[in-house]
Amino acid sequence: MAVSLCGKRALLTRAQNYVCPKRFGYIVLVPEIGEDLPEKNPLQREDGLLEFGTVTVEKCVSVIGKQAVDVEKQVKELDGQLEAKEVSDVFREVVDPLEHIGAPLETTWGLAKTLYLGNSVLMPTKSYITIHERARRARMAKFSSPSIYKAIKEAQLKGSETLTEEQKRIVQKYLLEGKLNGLELKEDQKLRLNHVLSKLGNERSKFRQKVDMSTKQFNHVIEDYGLVRDFPPEVLQMFAKDPTQPTKGPWLVTLQPHVAANFLEYCPDRTMRWNLWQAQTRRSSNFGEKSLETSTHIEEIRFLRRDQAKILGYDSFVDMSMETKMAGSRKSVSKMLEALREKAKPAQDAELKSLQEYAGQFGFKGQLEAHDIPYYRRKQLKALHHYDEEIIREYFPLPKVLTGMLELCERMFQIRIVERPGVDTWHEDVRYFDVLDEEQPVAGFYLDLYTREDVKMQMKDNFGWTVGIRNRSSVTKTNPLSALIFNFPSPIYGKPSLLSFDDVVMLFQRFGYALQHLLTKVNYSEVAGVSNIEWDAVEVASHVMAHFLYNPTTLKEISSHYATEDPLTDAMVKSIQASRTHLAGYDLCQELYFSALDMELHARKDFWVDVMRELWPRYMTLPLEKKDAHPCSFTPIFSGDWAAAYFSHVWSQVIAADVYSAFHEASSNPEALAAVGRRFRDTFLAMGGACAPAEVFRRFRGRDPSPKALISVLGLKKFKGGGEESGKK
């Protein structure tokens, strides 16, 4: 899973990132602001777009430095004013001014993010870290203001009958942010909380550093071409020490996620696969270098999070996390996980039995183990369903896919997407599009499609991002602006960029995420687009867009052979559909296991090894290997932002499948399908974080969500198991 950079929501479970802004390690010193900076933002043009032509690192850092100082100064002034008076209209006197105060910084910060991902020469990593930390601290000032918090709380206590639904959500957001920032605490409790959060930040940092070092320690050089001859060209190029001569070697194997995954999938040598897999699952454990073990950090992080939650008045860190989740409670999450497990576990048993028999046809003896699954599942998928990634790729030239995707969105959501030439961008390949509603421009986005190895950010396990540059706000009279940045292969020798099906899925997902940002109709930037959407619902639109790719009509509309323009055959459509259900029980059980592990580790005090050993057989068919210590490198929950929230990935898939089932049910009736598209736009795309996602779902579907649709699309209905109903009731 990859997390997009859209909107930089003030997501409330990240409270540990917000209290006491100075606590994490170091304070970034911003260069001198300078006397000659104009009052108007020099990085924004008169037409509302961004000034990329004259941007420099120095100018960007200086402008953000000035804007950050201005934000903090104005918030402090507002705080002082509110302390000395009684507020009669909290939106006119508090929230509206804060919208104006924060808007310039948000836009400039969005520009910096875009450059960081799109042109590392203009925005090196070190410079962006400086900007990011400075902007983040300034943005959080309003959520740490006692007077702002008091004014909003008093407004709520006086009664919210006159507030709109959107305004109530904003009030709830400020109050919850304030609570999680310790504004309800006494002074001694605040000091204790700050101490806990400071230690927690240090422990999380140490955890990531050790995992990174442990990951980099492993590498294996392959000299024998026979071991890599079955690797697809682009995979072989990934491994080659000299990418310009991928077939000549040598080839380097590392634990970087995309490298390790491809190696396990294509390497025919079982011993070498095991060697990589054991290194992967034992990273930072007691079975390796002692100085890099993270077990002690895991226990300390868990302890500190329990302490944090108790100081803030919660029974556990999980209960604190549920404040910002659509699920609402640990009980709802457990119910959903169990409903899916009851179908997925029997499916996994049958899938692995079938795979064992298939491997036996090639002379494989003994029992399949975890490091065998990727290799034999690829071969079985090709044998059973004729799924050949290299052939499929020839039918997905990027220009055709892009045109088809934009036309689908235009038709489904009654909009027009029009390219505007001559717009100033950070590279000549970048394009700009206006989004029109009833022929009026309502939003715009930059599109940067192709890899540029020397200047473009490339994270090893993520090749696409959505950046929310500017939110919609009726208060500041601004329309949404976004950037979509990818690393697809560049066209070469007249041959267009050809996408793998995984690439196509990623493109649709990123655009689905962008649509929430671009088509929002709310009035306040604090809840516009993906801002303030609960974590377990924020990926719903992304997954809904991906579901369209398994519809035969859509597949054929976005594809044709790059040379002959022949359409995708019915047999190839079926093979693509089959790829989604092949070993779906095994894949889903892995996600369910990690979700349950995360929840239990943050709800219980038992040693992490005991929790792992207890949960593993409940979800996984293959036995747990004696030295498997995968939690020691589980960075998303221990050093990332997914603590007690990892289930969100599965939860959003459940919601998205149920949402898409409405499109599927109406697919044979054009009028009904158009009505579903309008309803989806008016709810999930338009309402953003201005309405609770459970209520958004009810307005779209007319009922509460169920896992039945996901179980169906993954082909798990035929397997025995009960308890299909789930979701927040």
Side-chain angles (χ1 to χ4, degrees):
M1 180 204 84
V3 179
S4 300
L5 293 169
C6 190
K8 274 295 169 189
R9 301 168 287 132
L11 285 167
L12 310 179
T13 358
R14 300 186 186 179
Q16 60 265 38
N17 288 344
Y18 294 157
V19 184
C20 189
K22 298 178 183 178
R23 74 192 177 285
F24 284 143
Y26 59 91
I27 297 176
V28 178
L29 297 177
V30 178
E32 289 295 326
I33 294 171
E35 297 294 330
D36 57 344
L37 281 180
E39 286 300 314
K40 178 187 171 298
N41 186 352
L43 300 178
Q44 186 167 334
R45 302 181 346 171
E46 292 292 339
D47 60 3
L49 297 182
L50 303 181
E51 180 59 65
F52 288 106
T54 62
V55 71
T56 63
V57 173
E58 293 76 17
K59 181 184 287 187
C60 213
V61 172
S62 295
V63 171
I64 283 190
K66 181 180 186 302
Q67 291 175 340
V69 169
D70 289 344
V71 166
E72 290 166 343
K73 179 181 176 183
Q74 291 176 66
V75 168
K76 188 173 182 179
E77 289 173 352
L78 179 61
D79 183 271
Q81 293 167 11
L82 295 175
E83 193 174 9
K85 71 173 185 177
E86 184 176 342
V87 175
S88 58
D89 185 335
V90 72
F91 276 83
R92 182 175 57 82
E93 298 176 62
V94 181
V95 179
D96 288 6
L98 288 172
E99 287 268 309
H100 286 285
I101 289 170
L105 177 62
E106 289 289 342
T107 300
T108 312
W109 191 8
L111 177 146
K113 297 174 201 171
T114 302
L115 286 180
Y116 170 60
L117 296 170
N119 192 323
S120 60
V121 172
L122 287 175
M123 184 57 63
T125 298
K126 187 176 181 181
S127 299
Y128 179 71
I129 290 173
T130 300
I131 285 171
H132 178 81
E133 287 299 311
R134 188 67 188 93
R136 182 187 62 80
R137 291 204 310 274
R139 190 188 194 283
M140 296 316 301
K142 62 190 173 188
F143 296 122
S144 300
S145 161
S147 296
I148 290 173
Y149 179 75
K150 180 182 176 184
I152 291 178
K153 187 173 183 178
E154 287 178 350
Q156 185 197 48
L157 292 174
K158 288 178 182 177
S160 55
E161 297 81 7
T162 60
L163 299 181
T164 65
E165 180 179 54
E166 178 182 348
Q167 290 174 329
K168 290 177 184 177
R169 284 279 286 182
I170 293 172
V171 167
Q172 291 168 4
K173 175 178 180 176
Y174 270 89
L175 293 181
L176 186 52
E177 286 280 6
K179 178 183 177 181
L180 296 177
N181 275 283
L183 294 181
E184 292 275 8
L185 301 177
K186 296 178 181 177
E187 199 58 38
D188 61 329
Q189 292 175 309
K190 288 181 183 178
L191 291 173
R192 185 180 163 208
L193 179 63
N194 291 341
H195 176 68
V196 167
L197 292 173
S198 178
K199 290 181 66 176
L200 181 57
N202 290 332
E203 291 295 324
R204 291 172 63 190
S205 178
K206 289 175 184 176
F207 183 94
R208 177 168 289 280
Q209 288 170 8
K210 287 187 176 183
V211 174
D212 287 346
M213 291 174 67
S214 186
T215 299
K216 291 174 182 176
Q217 275 192 337
F218 177 89
N219 66 77
H220 180 79
V221 177
I222 297 177
E223 302 280 356
D224 181 6
Y225 177 72
L227 291 171
V228 298
R229 66 173 178 267
D230 293 334
F231 288 29
E234 75 282 356
V235 174
L236 198 60
Q237 188 175 35
M238 181 192 305
F239 283 83
K241 281 196 171 182
D242 182 358
T244 63
Q245 301 187 70
T247 60
K248 289 191 175 183
W251 302 272
L252 182 65
V253 183
T254 71
L255 291 183
Q256 293 295 344
H258 70 305
V259 174
N262 277 285
F263 186 77
L264 291 174
E265 193 172 337
Y266 288 101
C267 178
D269 188 296
R270 191 182 188 216
T271 301
M272 293 181 68
R273 293 199 305 269
W274 177 86
N275 186 45
L276 179 137
W277 177 85
Q278 62 85 23
Q280 192 176 46
T281 55
R282 298 178 192 177
R283 278 179 299 168
S284 296
S285 73
N286 289 321
F287 301 113
E289 187 177 320
K290 298 300 181 184
S291 64
L292 296 180
E293 67 86 16
T294 57
S295 178
T296 52
H297 299 296
I298 288 176
E299 292 305 290
E300 185 66 13
I301 288 168
R302 293 174 66 203
F303 171 79
L304 290 167
R305 283 174 173 161
R306 285 197 299 271
D307 218 10
Q308 175 193 0
K310 287 179 181 177
I311 293 170
L312 290 169
Y314 298 96
D315 291 336
S316 72
F317 189 81
V318 172
D319 294 308
M320 190 182 94
S321 172
M322 289 301 121
E323 288 273 35
T324 55
K325 307 300 183 296
M326 176 183 175
S329 71
R330 181 185 174 191
K331 183 179 178 180
S332 293
V333 175
S334 299
K335 188 177 179 182
M336 182 270 288
L337 294 178
E338 181 59 17
L340 294 173
R341 190 198 68 83
E342 288 182 346
K343 289 292 186 180
K345 184 62 163 57
Q348 178 188 190
D349 296 341
E351 290 163 354
L352 293 183
K353 181 181 178 181
S354 171
L355 194 64
Q356 180 77 46
E357 293 171 354
Y358 174 79
Q361 297 174 15
F362 294 88
F364 182 87
K365 297 179 181 179
Q367 289 296 312
L368 287 175
E369 297 181 43
H371 56 279
D372 299 314
I373 305 302
Y375 180 73
Y376 283 105
R377 77 178 290 173
R378 174 184 63 83
K379 296 175 75 71
Q380 187 187 45
L381 178 61
K382 187 172 183 178
L384 291 182
H385 304 294
H386 311 291
Y387 186 90
D388 190 322
E389 187 65 77
E390 292 311 298
I391 293 177
I392 289 174
R393 184 188 295 272
E394 295 181 353
Y395 285 82
F396 289 103
L398 180 50
K400 177 72 174 179
V401 174
L402 178 63
T403 299
M405 180 184 73
L406 297 182
E407 289 176 350
L408 171 69
C409 293
E410 288 182 324
R411 184 172 66 250
M412 200 64 65
F413 308 128
Q414 293 86 51
I415 56 176
R416 282 212 310 132
I417 302 172
V418 182
E419 184 170 4
R420 190 199 302 185
V423 171
D424 185 29
T425 66
W426 58 94
H427 189 273
E428 60 184 8
D429 288 342
V430 180
R431 302 158 68 184
Y432 179 82
F433 293 82
D434 287 303
V435 180
L436 309 179
D437 182 20
E438 297 181 351
E439 296 306 309
Q440 295 299 314
V442 295
F445 63 93
Y446 298 92
L447 184 61
D448 188 355
L449 293 168
Y450 303 117
T451 185
R452 294 186 293 278
E453 293 183 5
D454 294 336
V455 300
K456 202 168 183 182
M457 170 63 66
Q458 294 191 52
M459 294 182 184
K460 298 298 184 183
D461 53 350
N462 190 346
F463 296 93
W465 297 268
T466 300
V467 181
I469 299 175
R470 184 177 63 227
N471 272 359
R472 184 182 192 276
S473 173
S474 298
V475 177
T476 59
K477 295 181 173 55
T478 54
N479 282 339
L481 184 63
S482 185
L484 290 99
I485 301 171
F486 300 94
N487 275 296
F488 297 132
S490 299
I492 186 170
Y493 305 127
K495 182 178 178 180
S497 176
L498 301 179
L499 304 185
S500 68
F501 189 68
D502 285 345
D503 289 336
V504 178
V505 170
M506 183 179 64
L507 176 64
F508 269 62
Q509 287 181 329
R510 296 294 184 268
F511 199 71
Y513 198 83
L515 285 174
Q516 280 190 288
H517 184 78
L518 298 169
L519 296 182
T520 188
K521 288 191 174 181
V522 303
N523 297 301
Y524 292 90
S525 65
E526 284 295 344
V527 292
V530 298
S531 298
N532 200 47
I533 295 180
E534 280 73 353
W535 280 46
D536 47 354
V538 77
E539 296 176 345
V540 168
S542 302
H543 289 305
V544 169
M545 280 296 293
H547 275 286
F548 281 102
L549 290 172
Y550 298 93
N551 176 283
T553 301
T554 302
L555 268 177
K556 292 190 175 184
E557 286 176 345
I558 67 166
S559 64
S560 64
H561 193 276
Y562 78 95
T564 65
E565 297 188 359
D566 290 339
L568 202 64
T569 66
D570 291 340
M572 295 174 77
V573 169
K574 288 181 179 178
S575 73
I576 289 172
Q577 292 174 321
S579 70
R580 177 162 65 166
T581 58
H582 186 244
L583 263 67
Y586 175 79
D587 291 338
L588 181 56
C589 278
Q590 282 191 316
E591 285 296 296
L592 296 175
Y593 163 72
F594 283 119
S595 299
L597 179 66
D598 172 38
M599 292 292 284
E600 294 302 308
L601 287 174
H602 287 101
R604 292 162 49 180
K605 296 182 179 180
D606 308 70
F607 186 44
W608 69 264
V609 174
D610 297 328
V611 177
M612 173 187 70
R613 288 175 177 168
E614 175 190 325
L615 292 176
W616 182 272
R618 181 167 179 78
Y619 291 92
M620 304 308 299
T621 301
L622 296 177
L624 180 66
E625 201 264 344
K626 289 182 180 179
K627 294 184 178 181
D628 188 336
H630 54 270
C632 289
S633 57
F634 198 0
T635 53
I637 70 167
F638 291 123
S639 62
D641 295 318
W642 294 96
Y646 198 85
F647 79 92
S648 300
H649 302 301
V650 176
W651 187 277
S652 62
Q653 290 177 49
V654 168
I655 304 302
D658 204 343
V659 167
Y660 180 75
S661 64
F663 288 95
H664 179 72
E665 291 161 7
S667 58
S668 60
N669 183 332
E671 291 184 3
L673 186 61
V676 174
R678 284 194 298 273
R679 195 163 73 247
F680 182 71
R681 179 185 167 181
D682 292 340
T683 52
F684 281 94
L685 300 184
M687 301 180 81
C691 179
E695 178 60 25
V696 173
F697 183 90
R698 292 186 194 103
R699 293 180 189 180
F700 175 77
R701 210 69 177 95
R703 56 168 173 77
D704 287 334
S706 161
K708 286 183 178 180
L710 182 63
I711 289 169
S712 178
V713 299
L714 294 180
L716 307 179
K717 284 179 67 175
K718 59 186 177 182
F719 296 97
K720 290 184 179 180
E724 290 184 7
E725 294 300 324
S726 181
K728 186 177 179 182
K729 301 296 182 184

